[in-house]
Amino acid sequence: MLGTTSARPSSASALPHKASSQKLKSRRTTTASAVDIPDEGPSTFLRTRICEVFSEAQKSTAGHRKSATSLRKIQEECCYVFPHVRGQKKQEEEFGEDDFNVEVARCVLRLMGVKKSEGVGDRLVKFLGLFLRRAADKDAALATETEADETQTLPETPSTRLTSHILSILLPLLGSKEKVIRYRATQLVAHIIHSLDSVDDEYYQLIRIGLLKRVRDKEPIVRVQAVLGLGRLAGNEAEEDQDSADSDDEGASGLLRKLLEVLQNDPSADVRRSLLLNLPLTPTTLPFLLERARDIDPAIRRALYSRLLPALGDFRHLSLSMREKLLRWGLRDRDENVRRATGRLFRERWIEDCAGSCKVADSMSREKAASPSMDSLLELLERIDVVNSAAGNGVATEAMKDFWSGRPDYRDAISFDDTFWDRLTPESVFVARSFNDFCKEGEDNRLESMAEEKVPEVTRLAFILQRYINDLINCIRYNNAMSEGEEEENSAEREFIVEQLLHITKLLDYTDEIGRRKMFSLLRETLAIEELPEEITKLVVEVLRGVCGSEAAGEREFCGVVLEAIAEVHDNVAPEETMADNEDESFHSAHSELSDSTPTKSKSVGSSNGEHGANSEIDEAKAIREIVINMKCLHIAQCMLENVEGDLQQNIHLVTMLNNLVVPAVRSHEAPIRERGLSCLGLCCLLDQALAVENLSLFLHCFTKGHDSLQASALHILCDILTTHPHLVKAETVDPAFQKSVYKIFSKGLKAAHAPEVQSAATTALCKLMLTSVVSDEDLLKQLVTLFFDPATKENATVTQALSYFLPVFCHSKRENMEMMAMAAAGIVHTQMNLADEMDEEGEVVGASVVANMLVDWTDARNLVVQGAATASWNEAGEKEVKTMNGDIHLSLANSLLERALTHGCPKDERKVLLTMLGKIHVTSNSTREKLRAVNDLVGEAVDEKVATDATTRNALYKLHLALTKALGEADTVLPSVEDHDADQTLAGKENEVGAAWEVNVTEGKAITQRQGTLLEEPLDGEGEDV
């Protein structure tokens, strides 16, 4: 690391020094705007030799070692007296150390004016760093050990004096007014710091102060070089602070704190990337470095995964949560290169850390990787907590998919013998599941054959699954029956093992009838187990659906089997008096008991018939148990409905379930049962349009009267129903009052700022419906845009993200959508201006200019993804030709903006924004002539009424006037006719009137603006003025 040396003189060499034959010429003061070259005097032999070396060095980096050796020989001749040199032919001139330093500094000054784009400058900087490092090493080798012991510091040598001389010239140039000089000076200082092991302590602090000032430089290229140098200093000071914790100065803490602030806040991606790769890796800096995985620049994120994390060493030193975050952020990054770097880190570096073969902590070591090892793979999965990271849509699944794709050696070496299946752990079963998914989901037949060879057949896997299901159920029952003080068994790992086995069975081939029957009977029995967890229940139903087959008969068989399991679950736990009743009435009567025996009731009766009024505790436990069982039955039914696609009325099993299970649940007084019953009813409505029509009012009522969770569920159900049956609100025969009530529900949901869950559900649902053209309402669109710009929704990330995607896609996907946005633009600006007035003092609002620019972009027909047929044609060669874009949408926008601006009640600030938007309207001759003339008439009216009161709005209005005049002229040329000629005569007269009206004289201290005719003869005043 970089150290400091004493400024004390020391006889560092055993060889005598030459006396300097020349004195350093006086130098004028270096100005801040340019490099002032000192008086050089006549050319000398030494200058010629040094210039030749620098001339060779700037040509190519390949000869730098040779050039550094040549320059070192010249330095030795000037600084040392060698005995063998005295016998040779004497030179005409002799030069000393000062002469050599002056000539080298002269070349350094010539470097300062070289621009960044010139490669010569970078090559010379590298050459100087190489020479100073080699010269320092040779001088250190010449120093005697005794002298070093006497001084107790690094000796002073010709190289250190040369370095100090160069730094004395460079440091004043760090503050130059010329950015090229600041850049080269900072670059060379940073390179010297990285090239040397020590610097004189006199210049150490000067370098530190000078580079800290350059960290705030306005030029990013200068800041990059500054942080490169400070990164080395920070690493050196960090080591010193570890050795002496009682240091009085700020030390690394102060410098690191400033650099970490730059890392987080500097707007230049190059500066942040330089800091990322040059800051020391310490417990203090590591969290700040790792958070760059969320940087907005993809190159920085890629550098973190491809360079910093491999250089960090063993990944097991990171915390478990940080490992999971880094994997999730990297594998789900939007940039493909970042995802590739993360996958390579996981499958090449982390697996080698577990295998113990990683000996050098560098970036992706080239050494031979360890042979495939199952133990290493299991440890790797354990280190990322596969039980939690693989649940649901966890990142472990994605990581292993990339692992199998990039490590064919592990694919070939892996094997699943009988011992493997008999001793399953969460990590080992996930290896089997991920391997099976990778092989079955790919398109390579060889991989599918490999999976069939290594994964057991259906019958064998059914017995394995049955064993672990029994183990899980016994564990759950033991924990439920356990008394106080006994230790619970861990059922989470057993549950995870069963889930992964079910994932494997989903992709098996069930053409083997014996294996299919075995699996069918196992799943049927498992589904009827009361204690089965919900996630496993869902997987069992999905696997059972695949076992039954995809045809209609298989779907009916599937529904019948699931209903039998539901009946068995309910009958096995129902009270005796309930079991005596008819099965169709048992569910309803149970709910009657529940409604009367709920603890919230003021009555102290335990059942509907009042026979056990004294046993209130027993009745309460009975009521809770019945709620749990009914919830279990409804969950099984919900899982079944999610896997059914046929018509509800054509399936007798579904009709029976609807009447005997779902409808009583919806009528229940217990909130959990009622909510789950509503979810099942919503799924049933997706299968039958008539049922959806009957129950839409029910879902609307649930939103109006329900709590936040129920409102969100109702919005999701309404969105699914309307997406499946769009004619319920889209058809011409729909009752307008009913359509209005549906729209009102979504409007209320968008306004529910107090309930983020409801607002997110309403926003997401409405965006889906409007993208699919199920809902087409200008007021709702206006409300969505207003919600997007509302500062109150900034903290609701779901709403912000949904609208950020929806608005541009909605407008640019269809012309009709863009036209709707154009018609709503004026109202959106008005609402936004009112919102800005209300929140002027409370918080920040989006600027009016930002809103205006986005509205103009969203309504620009050139951004349409699918253009109309009129804008494209094919020539004789069959090539597509794009015609001039139809600009009717922007004309509609201009029409609405002008009408709003001409309204007498329009505020001045709002009118200014509206008129400024007119300058960005794109007008083409391919637009409708009627619209062109209508907008032109409104422009003339605006001029007559003098609504444009400042230069910016007048320029925007005049720019639109010129575009309209040009478009009308081109349209006349394209479509000539007698009527058009007469119309053009009238239009020409109108244009003369407009041109005359542009002459405006404003007195009382205001500017004077004059326009002659319809041609702009001089630059527009204030054209660049912001709104």
Side-chain angles (χ1 to χ4, degrees):
M1 298 301 292
L2 187 65
T4 60
T5 62
S6 174
R8 255 188 337 224
S10 171
S11 56
S13 175
L15 296 174
H17 287 207
K18 275 189 177 182
S20 179
S21 61
Q22 294 182 359
K23 297 296 182 180
L24 185 64
K25 301 294 188 299
S26 62
R27 283 194 292 268
R28 291 170 292 179
T29 303
T30 302
T31 62
S33 60
V35 179
D36 195 358
I37 305 299
D39 183 13
E40 298 176 347
S43 178
T44 62
F45 179 70
L46 176 63
R47 179 180 301 174
T48 303
R49 294 179 64 189
I50 293 177
C51 289
E52 289 177 355
V53 174
F54 274 87
S55 178
E56 290 295 326
Q58 70 181 4
K59 294 179 181 179
S60 173
T61 57
H64 277 186
R65 291 182 178 273
K66 181 179 179 181
S67 299
T69 303
S70 301
L71 190 59
R72 173 61 183 175
K73 290 181 179 179
I74 299 174
Q75 184 187 29
E76 291 177 350
E77 293 176 4
C78 294
C79 299
Y80 300 116
V81 179
F82 293 96
H84 65 277
V85 177
R86 295 176 180 176
Q88 297 179 357
K89 184 179 179 180
K90 188 176 181 179
Q91 300 177 357
E92 296 180 358
E93 298 180 86
E94 290 187 0
F95 301 95
E97 179 182 339
D98 291 342
D99 302 309
F100 177 81
N101 294 347
V102 169
E103 294 301 331
V104 173
R106 174 182 172 275
C107 295
V108 171
L109 286 174
R110 294 297 191 281
L111 172 63
M112 294 298 99
V114 181
K115 294 183 179 180
K116 183 180 183 297
S117 57
E118 297 291 339
V120 174
D122 295 336
R123 288 194 288 270
L124 285 179
V125 169
K126 293 179 181 177
F127 168 70
L128 282 171
L130 175 63
F131 166 71
L132 292 176
R133 182 171 65 250
R134 298 189 66 179
D137 293 342
K138 288 192 175 183
D139 284 341
L142 292 173
T144 60
E145 296 181 359
T146 58
E147 291 173 340
D149 292 339
E150 291 175 358
T151 59
Q152 295 296 321
T153 183
L154 293 175
E156 184 179 349
T157 63
S159 298
T160 61
R161 290 190 289 270
L162 174 61
T163 303
S164 300
H165 181 63
I166 293 176
L167 290 176
S168 67
I169 297 175
L170 293 177
L171 291 177
L173 299 179
L174 294 177
S176 173
K177 293 182 179 179
E178 299 293 334
K179 66 177 182 180
V180 176
I181 297 176
R182 295 199 310 274
Y183 166 68
R184 287 300 180 188
T186 309
Q187 181 189 27
L188 188 52
V189 170
H191 198 75
I192 290 175
I193 294 174
H194 280 272
S195 300
L196 301 180
D197 295 331
S198 62
V199 175
D200 195 308
D201 55 1
E202 177 183 355
Y203 289 99
Y204 186 89
Q205 294 299 329
L206 295 176
I207 292 173
R208 188 175 186 271
I209 295 173
L211 292 182
L212 279 175
K213 292 181 179 180
R214 291 307 98 212
V215 167
R216 305 300 180 185
D217 197 281
K218 63 180 180 180
E219 298 296 335
I221 56 175
V222 179
R223 300 200 301 271
V224 168
Q225 301 302 323
V227 299
L228 285 176
L230 289 174
R232 178 70 187 277
L233 297 182
N236 177 68
E237 293 182 358
E239 287 189 353
E240 292 180 356
D241 280 5
Q242 290 178 359
D243 296 336
S244 58
D246 299 332
S247 179
D248 295 334
D249 58 356
E250 288 184 350
S253 60
L255 181 57
L256 279 179
R257 184 169 60 252
K258 295 177 181 178
L259 292 180
L260 293 175
E261 181 183 354
V262 174
L263 177 65
Q264 290 181 309
N265 302 313
D266 196 284
S268 174
D270 294 333
V271 176
R272 301 195 303 272
R273 185 174 182 272
S274 299
L275 274 176
L276 176 71
L277 301 177
N278 288 277
L279 279 178
L281 297 175
T282 64
T284 303
T285 61
L286 188 58
F288 295 92
L289 296 174
L290 295 181
E291 74 177 10
R292 290 300 96 198
R294 308 299 288 168
D295 196 280
I296 60 175
D297 185 69
I300 295 178
R301 303 195 299 269
R302 183 172 65 253
L304 174 73
Y305 286 99
S306 61
R307 298 182 61 179
L308 179 66
L309 287 178
L312 189 60
D314 198 330
F315 80 100
R316 290 171 289 190
H317 295 155
L318 298 173
S319 63
L320 180 60
S321 61
M322 183 54 68
R323 296 175 214 156
E324 193 272 336
K325 287 180 181 179
L326 288 173
L327 267 184
R328 185 174 72 251
W329 291 341
L331 292 176
R332 296 178 180 177
D333 195 278
R334 66 175 69 92
D335 188 81
E336 183 180 357
N337 293 324
V338 179
R339 297 195 298 269
R340 190 181 298 117
T342 308
R344 188 181 176 196
L345 174 73
F346 179 78
R347 68 175 181 264
E348 293 184 10
R349 184 62 187 220
W350 287 12
I351 188 67
E352 297 302 323
D353 288 343
C354 295
S357 65
C358 189
K359 300 179 181 179
V360 182
D362 58 355
S363 176
M364 299 301 177
S365 177
R366 296 288 184 179
E367 68 181 21
K368 184 178 179 181
S371 58
S373 170
M374 175 64 80
D375 294 336
S376 302
L377 185 55
L378 295 180
E379 182 184 355
L380 176 61
L381 293 176
E382 182 182 359
R383 296 293 181 179
I384 62 174
D385 189 17
V386 70
V387 175
N388 294 318
S389 61
N393 191 24
V395 70
T397 305
E398 303 171 29
M400 287 304 297
K401 181 179 180 180
D402 187 89
F403 179 87
W404 295 119
S405 177
R407 295 301 297 264
D409 53 339
Y410 269 85
R411 294 201 307 260
D412 297 334
I414 206 75
S415 62
F416 307 121
D417 51 13
D418 293 340
T419 306
F420 174 86
W421 296 105
D422 292 339
R423 300 176 181 178
L424 286 179
T425 62
E427 292 76 23
S428 61
V429 72
F430 186 72
V431 169
R433 179 261 173 110
S434 60
F435 177 79
N436 184 70
D437 290 350
F438 175 77
C439 295
K440 293 295 181 66
E441 294 176 357
E443 299 180 356
D444 192 349
N445 295 330
R446 189 179 66 87
L447 292 177
E448 189 172 353
S449 301
M450 184 183 300
E452 293 178 355
E453 293 176 1
K454 297 185 177 183
V455 178
E457 67 278 2
V458 178
T459 305
R460 168 68 176 149
L461 195 60
F463 282 104
I464 296 174
L465 179 61
Q466 184 177 13
R467 171 191 168 187
Y468 286 100
I469 289 177
N470 294 336
D471 187 22
L472 171 63
I473 299 302
N474 293 333
C475 177
I476 294 176
R477 289 174 177 172
Y478 172 80
N479 291 336
N480 293 337
M482 180 186 60
S483 60
E484 295 183 2
E486 296 183 5
E487 184 178 358
E488 291 186 1
E489 294 186 5
N490 186 7
S491 61
E493 293 186 356
R494 293 181 173 89
E495 184 177 345
F496 181 80
I497 293 174
V498 174
E499 290 176 4
Q500 302 310 306
L501 290 174
L502 288 171
H503 279 293
I504 295 176
T505 58
K506 286 175 62 176
L507 301 178
L508 293 180
D509 184 8
Y510 291 100
T511 55
D512 178 16
E513 184 63 21
I514 298 177
R516 193 193 76 86
R517 290 182 179 181
K518 173 60 180 176
M519 185 66 71
F520 180 84
S521 61
L522 172 63
L523 296 175
R524 165 65 182 81
E525 296 173 0
T526 303
L527 194 59
I529 299 176
E530 172 194 351
E531 296 84 1
L532 198 66
E534 288 193 352
E535 185 62 28
I536 295 181
T537 300
K538 181 179 179 180
L539 290 172
V540 168
V541 173
E542 292 176 358
V543 176
L544 185 61
R545 180 67 186 90
V547 172
C548 292
S550 58
E551 63 278 358
E555 185 175 285
R556 287 193 295 270
E557 181 186 13
F558 165 70
C559 295
V561 171
V562 173
L563 284 182
E564 290 177 4
I566 292 175
E568 186 174 344
V569 169
H570 188 269
D571 292 343
N572 286 341
V573 297
E576 296 181 359
E577 60 270 22
T578 305
M579 294 179 60
D581 297 335
N582 192 338
E583 182 182 355
D584 294 349
E585 300 177 355
S586 61
F587 192 91
H588 182 67
S589 59
H591 279 282
S592 299
E593 288 186 19
L594 292 178
S595 62
D596 294 334
S597 60
T598 308
T600 59
K601 297 284 185 179
S602 60
K603 302 177 183 179
S604 59
V605 293
S607 60
S608 59
N609 52 19
E611 295 178 357
H612 306 286
N615 301 325
S616 59
E617 294 182 359
I618 299 177
D619 293 338
E620 182 178 351
K622 170 187 170 184
I624 294 175
R625 178 172 175 78
E626 289 180 356
I627 291 177
V628 172
I629 297 306
N630 291 328
M631 291 288 290
K632 175 69 175 179
C633 296
L634 288 170
H635 176 69
I636 298 175
Q638 181 179 350
C639 295
M640 178 192 69
L641 290 171
E642 291 173 353
N643 291 274
V644 174
E645 299 178 356
D647 189 359
L648 178 70
Q649 300 299 332
Q650 300 298 325
N651 194 326
I652 187 61
H653 302 292
L654 294 179
V655 175
T656 303
M657 180 208 63
L658 174 65
N659 296 330
N660 298 334
L661 183 63
V662 177
V663 173
V666 174
R667 295 174 180 174
S668 172
H669 296 287
E670 304 299 332
I673 296 178
R674 184 170 60 250
E675 291 179 15
R676 184 158 288 185
L678 282 173
S679 300
C680 294
L681 181 61
L683 292 171
C684 292
C685 292
L686 300 181
L687 304 176
D688 185 27
Q689 183 173 345
L691 184 64
V693 173
E694 294 176 1
N695 292 280
L696 268 180
S697 58
L698 172 63
F699 298 122
L700 297 179
H701 178 75
C702 290
F703 178 85
T704 304
K705 302 297 182 181
H707 50 82
D708 293 347
S709 179
L710 185 59
Q711 286 181 339
S713 300
L715 287 171
H716 288 306
I717 294 172
L718 285 173
C719 177
D720 293 339
I721 292 176
L722 295 180
T723 304
T724 307
H725 310 296
H727 296 290
L728 295 180
V729 292
K730 193 178 179 181
E732 298 178 356
T733 58
V734 175
D735 184 10
F738 173 75
Q739 187 183 57
K740 184 178 180 180
S741 63
V742 174
Y743 291 173
K744 187 177 180 180
I745 291 297
F746 287 106
S747 179
K748 287 183 178 180
L750 294 178
K751 296 177 182 178
H754 62 282
E757 181 184 2
V758 178
Q759 192 178 43
S760 302
T763 304
T764 306
L766 190 56
C767 290
K768 293 179 181 178
L769 294 175
M770 297 192 77
L771 279 176
T772 55
S773 300
V774 176
V775 173
S776 179
D777 185 74
E778 184 177 327
D779 294 335
L780 289 177
L781 177 62
K782 189 185 304 182
Q783 194 171 350
L784 284 175
V785 178
T786 304
L787 187 66
F788 176 65
F789 293 118
D790 190 353
T793 61
K794 184 187 301 183
E795 297 181 357
N796 195 334
T798 305
V799 173
T800 304
Q801 186 175 9
L803 292 177
S804 299
Y805 172 82
F806 163 75
L807 290 173
V809 172
F810 174 78
C811 295
H812 298 162
S813 59
K814 293 179 64 177
R815 176 173 287 271
E816 293 78 7
N817 297 343
M818 190 173 285
E819 291 175 352
M820 188 190 305
M821 180 64 75
M823 297 304 297
I828 293 171
V829 173
H830 174 69
T831 305
Q832 190 65 22
M833 295 298 293
N834 291 339
L835 181 64
D837 293 339
E838 295 175 359
M839 302 187 62
D840 189 17
E841 299 180 356
E842 298 180 3
E844 298 180 357
V845 294
V846 181
S849 60
V850 177
V851 177
N853 292 335
M854 298 187 77
L855 289 174
V856 173
D857 178 74
W858 290 339
T859 55
D860 193 344
R862 292 172 294 180
N863 295 328
L864 281 172
V865 177
V866 180
Q867 303 291 350
T871 61
S873 62
W874 283 262
N875 56 20
E876 296 179 357
E879 299 176 351
K880 185 176 181 180
E881 294 180 347
V882 179
K883 301 180 181 178
T884 305
M885 179 60 57
N886 187 308
D888 286 351
I889 299 178
H890 258 188
L891 289 178
S892 300
L893 174 64
N895 197 324
S896 63
L897 296 178
L898 284 169
E899 288 180 353
R900 174 60 187 169
L902 290 170
T903 305
H904 294 292
C906 182
K908 181 179 178 180
D909 293 340
E910 180 182 344
R911 181 181 288 115
K912 183 177 181 179
V913 175
L914 297 174
L915 295 179
T916 306
M917 293 174 63
L918 297 177
K920 302 171 184 178
I921 298 295
H922 179 68
V923 181
T924 64
S925 58
N926 198 27
S927 304
T928 307
R929 289 177 54 82
E930 289 75 9
K931 288 190 175 183
L932 287 171
R933 291 171 177 171
V935 175
N936 198 31
D937 292 341
L938 288 174
V939 172
E941 184 179 351
V943 173
D944 294 339
E945 296 187 7
K946 299 180 181 180
V947 296
T949 58
D950 56 84
T952 303
T953 54
R954 284 197 299 270
N955 292 338
L957 201 60
Y958 187 68
K959 183 178 180 181
L960 177 61
H961 165 66
L962 292 179
L964 291 170
T965 304
K966 181 180 178 181
L968 284 169
E970 293 180 359
D972 293 338
T973 304
V974 176
L975 301 172
S977 63
V978 177
E979 297 179 359
D980 293 344
H981 178 72
D982 297 338
D984 291 343
Q985 295 293 334
T986 305
L987 181 62
K990 183 65 177 179
E991 290 173 0
N992 292 333
E993 296 176 3
V994 174
W998 285 109
E999 299 181 9
V1000 181
N1001 293 326
V1002 183
T1003 59
E1004 298 180 0
K1006 296 184 179 179
I1008 299 177
T1009 306
Q1010 295 183 349
R1011 300 291 182 265
Q1012 301 293 338
T1014 59
L1015 297 178
L1016 190 61
E1017 298 178 353
E1018 59 184 7
L1020 299 179
D1021 297 333
E1023 187 173 1
E1025 185 179 342
D1026 296 333
V1027 179

